[in-house]
Amino acid sequence: MVTVIQPADPTQFFDDMIGACKPIKRVYRRIDRVAQLEVPVLVTGESGTGKELVAQSIHRRSNRSSGPFLAVNTGAISRDLIASELFGHERGAFTGAEDRKKGFFERAAGGTLFLDEITTMDSKTQISLLRVLEAKELRRVGGRELIRTDVRVIAATNQDLQKSIQNGTFREDLYHRLNVFNIKLPPLRKRKDDIPVLVSHFAKVYADKFGKKVLEIDPEAMTLLTTYSWPGNVRELENVIANSMVMVQTGTLMSVHLPSDFRNPSVSRGKMTLEMGLTLEEVERRYITETMKSLNGNKTLAADSLGISRKTLYNKLNKTGES
Ligand SMILES: Nc1ncnc2c1ncn2[C@@H]1O[C@H](COP(=O)(O)OP(=O)(O)OP(=O)(O)O)[C@@H](O)[C@H]1O
Ligand SMILES: [Mg+2]
């Protein structure tokens, strides 16, 4: 069946987030529960799963919604500057500090400060941050005056924080300060039911943006999109659809419009390890099994990926008793 390209309907939306499968609805419920409370929230999940969207949604639903929402990626700021970026500095605090400058904490007053990629924070910054969160006061770099902070902090990471604590790169006390309430975003491969609606949504967005009359998605293209493992999650899906919209002229988005990885799916589906000493027959059997697994048992895609006909694949599967 072709998929008609259309915007997601309101039942599939939560603020700017699209999806209505069980694991994402659980996320929506947790956002709703915690938004109005003045507690810090830690958002975890793989890259591209929508951590920033969650932070924005919490802000929008909080009592601070009329205040600012500021996002800062501490890992992207050089170590020398990070304290002054977060807490501000006084004039003459260091070479180049020609004027007094307010940091993120002061500029986000009355609102929400989103601290992204917290695991990349160096240990000195972690200590300063912990102090500020505990005391709810800060001193600008080179300053004496104690300034009360008035921010709600939402932190995010795509790393395993427990591991960072174990290997000593992240402070456990800071972790407990930030992780009063945790929201864990599922990777896209764990919410495959949402893929068609996400595909359709982004197809509509990019068809409109590029002024193309593309109205449908061909079933084969949709199968490729739904069986892919999406290591880059929703961000990757959006990019793939944007790319495909560049390629298609009009009418139906087909599998030929998808990036080449999709037409030769096994390329992007990871690796397998084979110990030496196997017979060629055994190697073939294992390779076919793994290819089938990675394509969710789809024989058409597996045959394509292996470069053999479906009939040959059936014969081989029959021989190994896996059909
Ligand atoms: N559920 C969703 N519905 C619609 N768009 C989404 C959804 N989740 C993510 N996106 C989009 O995917 C992109 C990545 O989202 P976001 O920046 O929030 O991810 P992230 O988890 O912060 O990633 P990273 O760890 O790489 O910073 C954005 O363009 C965002 O709008
Ligand atoms: Mg992010």
Side-chain angles (χ1 to χ4, degrees), residues 1-294:
M1 221 176 54
V2 293
T3 308
V4 176
I5 294 176
Q6 57 192 3
D9 74 63
T11 62
Q12 291 161 321
F13 261 105
F14 184 87
D15 296 339
D16 291 336
M17 277 168 284
I18 296 165
C21 69
K22 250 189 175 172
I24 201 76
K25 277 190 163 162
R26 183 168 177 268
V27 168
Y28 301 160
R29 272 201 304 279
R30 287 179 75 75
I31 292 174
D32 199 42
R33 285 273 166 87
V34 79
Q36 302 260 317
L37 309 176
E38 278 284 300
V39 295
V41 178
L42 177 68
V43 189
T44 53
E46 290 176 15
S47 182
T49 46
K51 295 184 291 295
E52 189 151 350
L53 290 184
V54 168
Q56 285 165 354
S57 171
I58 293 172
H59 173 70
R60 198 185 293 181
R61 287 162 183 266
S62 75
N63 302 325
R64 297 175 165 269
S65 59
S66 57
F69 174 91
L70 293 187
V72 51
N73 181 347
T74 46
I77 303 172
S78 83
R79 279 182 187 202
D80 304 340
L81 288 178
I82 191 149
S84 103
E85 285 292 324
L86 288 177
F87 312 121
H89 62 244
E90 295 294 339
R91 187 179 167 176
F94 48 86
T95 327
E98 283 165 16
D99 283 306
R100 162 191 282 179
K101 187 182 152 193
K102 287 185 177 178
F104 276 97
F105 267 86
E106 273 186 86
R107 282 186 280 134
T112 305
L113 181 59
F114 177 56
L115 298 174
D116 206 357
E117 308 296 352
I118 47 163
T119 39
T120 55
M121 217 183 277
D122 66 282
S123 58
K124 207 171 132 214
T125 313
Q126 289 181 36
I127 296 173
S128 331
L129 179 63
L130 180 68
R131 283 206 195 115
V132 169
L133 293 176
E134 275 174 353
K136 294 196 163 52
E137 295 179 323
L138 61 83
R139 271 199 184 94
R140 296 190 192 117
V141 176
R144 295 195 169 179
E145 185 194 355
L146 271 175
I147 299 161
R148 272 208 84 65
T149 62
D150 173 23
V151 292
R152 190 224 201 131
V153 169
I154 302 180
T157 178
N158 56 23
Q159 302 293 312
D160 183 346
L161 265 177
Q162 294 301 341
K163 245 192 222 155
S164 307
I165 292 169
Q166 269 161 24
N167 67 27
T169 54
F170 202 81
R171 295 181 66 96
E172 188 166 6
D173 44 10
L174 179 59
Y175 167 74
H176 290 300
R177 268 278 152 199
L178 297 170
N179 185 29
V180 176
F181 191 84
N182 178 233
I183 294 184
K184 195 170 173 205
L185 275 167
L188 193 51
R189 64 183 171 280
K190 295 244 171 89
R191 52 185 195 104
K192 285 193 181 275
D193 289 351
D194 284 337
I195 293 176
V197 53
L198 282 162
V199 167
S200 183
H201 164 81
F202 287 120
K204 174 89 180 111
V205 168
Y206 285 97
D208 289 353
K209 193 166 175 176
F210 301 155
K212 295 198 176 181
K213 272 207 158 52
V214 181
L215 304 173
E216 303 173 333
I217 300 163
D218 163 76
E220 192 191 327
M222 192 54 105
T223 306
L224 289 172
L225 291 164
T226 42
T227 48
Y228 180 62
S229 58
W230 298 112
N233 296 294
V234 185
R235 178 181 293 116
E236 184 185 10
L237 183 143
E238 179 175 351
N239 287 342
V240 164
I241 300 301
N243 260 294
S244 311
M245 270 300 159
V246 172
M247 300 310 290
V248 62
Q249 285 312 320
T250 179
T252 306
L253 194 148
M254 317 270 280
S255 55
V256 291
H257 302 123
L258 299 176
S260 54
D261 278 5
F262 280 84
R263 277 168 283 137
N264 185 11
S266 62
V267 173
S268 52
R269 270 163 221 276
K271 299 187 172 96
M272 69 181 280
T273 313
L274 292 167
E275 60 275 26
M276 296 309 290
L278 298 172
T279 63
L280 262 184
E281 200 177 344
E282 176 66 9
V283 169
E284 181 178 283
R285 191 188 68 75
R286 288 209 204 167
Y287 191 69
I288 291 175
T289 311
E290 280 308 306
T291 304
M292 288 284 291
K293 253 200 237 162
S294 73

